[in-house]
Amino acid sequence: MISIVGNDMLCNTVQNFIKEKRIPHAILIEGDYGTGKHTLAKYISKAIVCAENNSPCENCGNCHLASVNSHPDITVVCAQDGKKTITVSQVREIRNDAYIKPHQAQKRIFIIDGADTMNEQSQNALLKVLEEPPTAVMFILIAENKSGLLDTIISRCVTLTLNPPEFKVGFDYIKSKTNHNDELIKEALQNEKNNIGRALNALQGVSSSKTETAAKQYLEFAINGDTFSMLKTVAAYSKNRVDADNFVKDLKYVIAQKIRKSPSSNLSKPLMSIYNVIPEFEDSLLTNINLNLLFCNLTAKMTDHIRRNK
Ligand SMILES: [Zn+2]
């Protein structure tokens, strides 16, 4: 049985598809980051390759291979080599491969991860095979937001939308899986709009991250107008994009924490305006901007907001 917290009805629907052996030939799984899209895609593909009656049985060779992402009949296609989109040549490859017989399962499955990042040309290329799919093929499209997909693609798929759970359900789930105290769990879930995956990430940062300590110091220096110490603190994170990304995420988190702790303090207004400009920096991190320069700008912007509002 599959269980994705807060999505019981959807899981029942999937379970029925599988039990009654009427799995659609194209499924679109839609949902925000951290809502369980990949878990669901994996479960469905395993159920298809498993040849046992109670599929997925979790015991047969097909299930084992699918569990470790090595089943020869399950192909995952996603953006490659630092690109942000799935290219038309990748889609053409899917089209060609779709006509090759499955190796050992009844069907071949193509999981298109980040389907909403395909441009129109790629989507139209995919449409051709979605319209007349070979019988032994199934497609699972994964998207954060289906509005990035052509209507003609959406209409060929059965859409399964994953939602974050109600607060109480998410809270109980995280409580059962971690040792964090109630207050931290509550805060993480509220910050992340009940998104369990994101909240768990944030909580991981709280308990172990050096980055969070650095982000806290950076914020304190900003409040004191100590630009020099800010730049010194951030220097360690401007060497690579992953570190920089983690730092900015944690900074956002510590700012939110600080606002929440004393919402009526003089600082809450400038902190709020800093919080609101951070997404702009997160976007810049996705481009090839010079990281040193990025952090210089962030430092200047933060001290400026605090100075002006004091
Ligand atoms: Zn099995």
Side-chain angles (χ1 to χ4, degrees), residues 234-282:
V234 93
Y237 300 94
S238 43
K239 295 197 174 65
N240 73 65
R241 224 155 282 278
V242 177
D243 288 347
D245 197 43
N246 285 335
F247 182 84
V248 174
K249 273 204 185 79
D250 279 352
L251 180 63
K252 211 163 97 178
Y253 183 76
V254 298
I255 293 173
Q257 259 184 328
K258 199 157 181 89
I259 297 171
R260 216 176 315 277
K261 264 183 202 146
S262 42
S264 53
S265 104
N266 291 342
L267 273 175
S268 66
K269 202 176 140 208
L271 288 180
M272 210 50 230
S273 43
I274 296 172
Y275 188 83
N276 291 331
V277 298
I278 290 189
E280 199 183 293
F281 286 90
E282 286 179 310

Side-chain angles (χ1 to χ4, degrees), residues 143-297:
E144 285 202 359
N145 195 338
K146 75 173 175 186
S147 61
L149 288 166
L150 297 173
D151 288 343
T152 40
I153 295 259
I154 298 171
S155 67
R156 298 276 160 194
C157 300
V158 169
T159 301
L160 303 173
T161 303
L162 288 162
N163 291 305
E166 305 262 307
F167 174 79
K168 171 88 173 64
V169 178
F171 181 88
D172 290 345
Y173 176 81
I174 295 182
K175 191 148 179 66
S176 72
K177 299 279 176 196
T178 69
N179 299 320
H180 296 292
N181 71 41
D182 292 6
E183 211 39 51
L184 277 180
I185 299 176
K186 200 172 139 192
E187 195 170 300
L189 268 173
Q190 281 170 347
N191 274 344
E192 303 298 347
K193 300 194 175 71
N194 295 353
N195 181 314
I196 292 186
R198 281 188 197 271
L200 280 170
N201 277 351
L203 284 166
Q204 246 171 14
V206 170
S207 56
S208 62
S209 158
K210 259 195 339 208
T211 325
E212 195 207 344
T213 314
K216 264 188 187 146
Q217 288 169 340
Y218 183 76
L219 179 60
E220 286 309 313
F221 291 137
I223 292 167
N224 296 324
D226 184 351
T227 314
F228 176 73
S229 300
M230 285 175 85
L231 290 172
K232 222 170 107 184
T233 308
V234 93
Y237 300 94
S238 43
K239 295 197 174 65
N240 73 65
R241 224 155 282 278
V242 177
D243 288 347
D245 197 43
N246 285 335
F247 182 84
V248 174
K249 273 204 185 79
D250 279 352
L251 180 63
K252 211 163 97 178
Y253 183 76
V254 298
I255 293 173
Q257 259 184 328
K258 199 157 181 89
I259 297 171
R260 216 176 315 277
K261 264 183 202 146
S262 42
S264 53
S265 104
N266 291 342
L267 273 175
S268 66
K269 202 176 140 208
L271 288 180
M272 210 50 230
S273 43
I274 296 172
Y275 188 83
N276 291 331
V277 298
I278 290 189
E280 199 183 293
F281 286 90
E282 286 179 310
D283 286 349
S284 310
L285 276 170
L286 295 170
T287 66
N288 282 327
I289 194 167
N290 176 313
L291 293 174
N292 276 318
L293 191 69
L294 179 87
F295 279 125
C296 280
N297 287 341

Side-chain angles (χ1 to χ4, degrees), residues 46-47 49-52 54-64:
K46 206 190 281 183
V49 294
C50 173
E52 302 302 316
N54 56 335
S55 71
C57 71
E58 305 289 354
N59 276 319
C60 69
N62 282 317
C63 281
H64 285 313

